[in-house]
Amino acid sequence: MIRDDMREPTATGTLAALQSLQQIGLPMTPLLPVEIAGVQCWAKAEVLQPVGAFKIRGAWWRLVNLDAEERKRGVVAVSSGNHAQGVAWAARRLGIPAAIVMPRNAPQVKLEATRALGAEIMLYERPGEDRDEVAAKLVEERDAVLVHAFGDPWVIEGQGSAGHEAQAQFGTGRRPSRFIVCCGGGGLAAGLALACPHAAIHVVEPQGWDMVGQSLAAGEIVRVGANPPATICDALQPDATKPINMGVLQGRAEPGVAVTDEEVRAAQRFAFSKLRLVVEPGGAAALAAALAGKVPVDQDTVIMLTGGNTDAASYAETLQG
């Protein structure tokens, strides 16, 4: 089992991850102009990844770094859907057995997509069961490698490859001033902080699930309460961040921001009408914060649109407002 503390993620690793992704032909996601409060800034459309989310980056970089024996034993991951698809995609391409622990109430579109990529799915009850305990049991039984969704150095580096892409898309003489980032456990935020140390990092989480923001404010890891509020952002519901993410973000990230479900829905509608993009709730959180004026924007701001895996019925309901 790979521990999340076995090594530190590095800026060099984020660049190596990008080079590996380029070698397999993963396309660069577009950086789209978007006007907010009279300011033209930029949206990084990670919704257009082959699995519909940025998670493909970290999953690939983690799995490609497994040795031959580890690949033979297989991997285990925990996810409500986007990390699941990233791991399943990378595992299929590399010929690695993959088992994904997913909540029974995960969006059906994410469950079906993960199955279609050839991964074995192990369902658990949310709330009710501890997903990490379910995963730990599988890892022990199979002597598999745990591919954590955010608390893993290779995963963090892989996610940071998006920062190098954005930097390249800005061209010579300019660079991102800030990244506004949808945040679950902090893998993407930490990766971007490593890849683009000059840029401010704003983490955005669902209201009541802002564990990274609360942890940064407290200077120690804060876990979600016993009765957290419901949120439509199924992709942004970890119980807590990990020490490895805190180690990168503490003293580096801006104060965290929380958004409401209604602000997220408004952002989904905005993305559809202005950018012609389908963005799932969790993938629209950063845009929601920018539109609500909770995070400053300037002409060099990059807003991460992190996922677009949503079912047609709920998305249509959101668009109808």
Side-chain angles (χ1 to χ4, degrees), residues 174-257:
R174 293 181 62 198
R175 60 186 186 180
S177 61
R178 71 187 71 247
F179 287 91
I180 307 177
V181 191
C182 307
C183 184
L188 177 58
L192 292 172
L194 290 170
C196 299
H198 55 273
I201 304 295
H202 298 267
V203 297
V204 182
E205 301 168 279
Q207 199 167 67
W209 288 89
D210 52 332
M211 297 302 100
V212 173
Q214 289 188 40
S215 297
L216 290 172
E220 61 182 13
I221 291 177
V222 178
R223 300 192 65 84
V224 71
N227 296 294
T231 174
I232 60 173
C233 299
D234 65 276
L236 307 179
Q237 292 183 271
D239 294 339
T241 188
K242 292 285 188 180
I244 191 171
N245 306 90
M246 277 287 287
V248 175
L249 293 172
Q250 189 70 48
R252 176 69 182 80
E254 302 296 313
V257 171

Side-chain angles (χ1 to χ4, degrees), residues 52-231:
F54 76 99
K55 293 286 192 176
I56 196 172
R57 297 176 180 273
W60 172 261
W61 186 233
R62 181 68 202 99
L63 267 62
V64 79
N65 275 284
L66 297 177
D67 62 33
E69 182 58 33
E70 289 170 329
R71 293 188 187 196
K72 183 178 179 181
R73 297 201 307 266
V75 297
V76 171
V78 176
S79 171
S80 68
N82 290 337
H83 179 59
Q85 291 173 72
V87 171
W89 184 91
R92 183 172 70 173
R93 189 178 181 102
L94 294 167
I96 299 172
I100 317 293
V101 178
M102 301 184 69
R104 194 175 298 278
N105 63 354
Q108 195 64 32
V109 64
K110 294 183 178 182
L111 289 166
E112 292 174 355
T114 305
R115 285 195 185 97
L117 287 167
E120 177 186 3
I121 294 179
M122 311 293 290
L123 297 176
Y124 74 96
E125 297 295 335
R126 179 178 69 178
E129 289 185 275
D130 186 321
R131 65 182 190 173
D132 291 332
E133 288 182 4
V134 176
K137 184 178 179 181
L138 272 176
V139 167
E140 183 176 359
E141 289 174 351
R142 303 181 181 193
D143 195 23
V145 175
L146 177 66
V147 182
H148 199 278
F150 54 87
D152 179 288
W154 288 273
V155 168
I156 290 170
E157 290 170 349
Q159 318 304 29
S161 65
H164 291 294
E165 274 192 15
Q167 175 70 73
Q169 288 167 308
F170 264 60
T172 305
R174 293 181 62 198
R175 60 186 186 180
S177 61
R178 71 187 71 247
F179 287 91
I180 307 177
V181 191
C182 307
C183 184
L188 177 58
L192 292 172
L194 290 170
C196 299
H198 55 273
I201 304 295
H202 298 267
V203 297
V204 182
E205 301 168 279
Q207 199 167 67
W209 288 89
D210 52 332
M211 297 302 100
V212 173
Q214 289 188 40
S215 297
L216 290 172
E220 61 182 13
I221 291 177
V222 178
R223 300 192 65 84
V224 71
N227 296 294
T231 174

Side-chain angles (χ1 to χ4, degrees), residues 34-57:
V34 57
E35 184 173 317
I36 296 176
V39 177
Q40 182 189 288
C41 47
W42 304 91
K44 181 73 167 155
E46 289 293 286
V47 298
L48 298 178
Q49 290 286 6
V51 300
F54 76 99
K55 293 286 192 176
I56 196 172
R57 297 176 180 273

Side-chain angles (χ1 to χ4, degrees), residues 265 268-269 272 278-281 310-321:
R265 290 189 180 97
Q268 288 181 278
R269 292 190 287 268
F272 178 78
V278 174
V279 185
E280 68 182 276
T310 182
D311 67 276
S314 63
Y315 188 66
E317 184 178 347
T318 293
L319 293 182
Q320 290 168 4

